[in-house]
Amino acid sequence: MRPIPSRLSYLFLHLFAFCYYAQVTNQSPPNFTQHVSEQSKVTDHVSRRLIRVYQLYSRTSGKHVQVLPNKKINAMADDGDVHAKLIVETDTFGSRVRIKGAETGFYICMNKRGKLVGKKNGQGRDCIFTEIVLENNYTALRNARYEGWYMAFTRRGRPRKGSRTRQHQREVHFMKRLPKGQQPVHPSHHRPFDFIHYPFNQRTKRTRHSSES
């Protein structure tokens, strides 16, 4: 016969179960905010780059950001200007991007003095910006290397040093706009589906008649 467990054994089992339950329930839930923040800072070398084309309208100058052949960057371009067309490449799973002029191929970067400069090679962190959608629906672009420094322009469209910028300033507020003449297609303008009617052959006729009978 199997020995009857003693009262001490029962107490030990209950104590073990209680300790295990307390350990499981006391574990803190995963911090998803921290996880997303960390993963958004890691360059994605595996996935295919998501590429967008748009213009950046400056709230202060009333013009568009442009990348010139002499590597200078300002916000003095009119809507549809060839130098205002920007190619935006994703860098991570989050909202970090690289921005270059479609005409010149120079990336918008920020040097250690906070000045915006154009570079042919935009692989450095000084050429990466985080897109931040603000409460007023404008977008701010914060540099990835120099934390707290933003892309900004004065009322005359001249670049402002990143060290003098703050997120609430109008100088760092931008609006994304499609290049002139490239308006989004309204769903009602999409071509409807075409239904193709294939002719019946002898085999399909027999199959159809057998299924109906």
Side-chain angles (χ1 to χ4, degrees), residues 51-57 64-65 79 81-89 95 97-102 129-131 139-141 151 174-180 182:
I51 298 177
R52 292 169 291 168
V53 178
Y54 57 65
Q55 300 177 126
L56 276 177
Y57 174 84
H64 297 80
V65 177
D79 184 17
D81 191 292
V82 64
H83 293 110
K85 187 177 181 180
L86 305 175
I87 298 177
V88 184
E89 309 169 353
S95 56
V97 296
R98 291 184 175 90
I99 305 173
K100 70 177 180 180
F129 292 86
T130 302
E131 293 181 324
T139 299
L141 295 162
M151 183 188 301
F174 301 94
M175 181 189 301
K176 301 176 186 177
R177 301 183 65 186
L178 289 174
K180 191 174 183 179
Q182 298 184 15

Side-chain angles (χ1 to χ4, degrees), residues 87-120:
I87 298 177
V88 184
E89 309 169 353
T90 56
D91 176 69
T92 67
F93 290 106
S95 56
R96 297 205 320 180
V97 296
R98 291 184 175 90
I99 305 173
K100 70 177 180 180
E103 180 69 16
T104 63
F106 294 131
Y107 287 87
I108 300 178
C109 306
M110 184 177 289
N111 62 20
K112 60 183 179 180
R113 293 179 295 175
K115 183 180 178 180
L116 294 176
V117 294
K119 287 187 178 181
K120 195 67 177 177

Side-chain angles (χ1 to χ4, degrees), residues 37-53:
S37 177
E38 292 176 352
Q39 291 299 312
S40 298
K41 296 179 181 178
V42 180
T43 299
D44 179 17
H45 296 287
V46 180
S47 303
R48 180 180 297 178
R49 290 279 185 270
L50 176 62
I51 298 177
R52 292 169 291 168
V53 178

Side-chain angles (χ1 to χ4, degrees), residues 172-191:
V172 308
H173 296 177
F174 301 94
M175 181 189 301
K176 301 176 186 177
R177 301 183 65 186
L178 289 174
K180 191 174 183 179
Q182 298 184 15
Q183 299 302 321
V185 180
H186 192 274
S188 61
H189 296 162
H190 283 291
R191 182 178 177 181

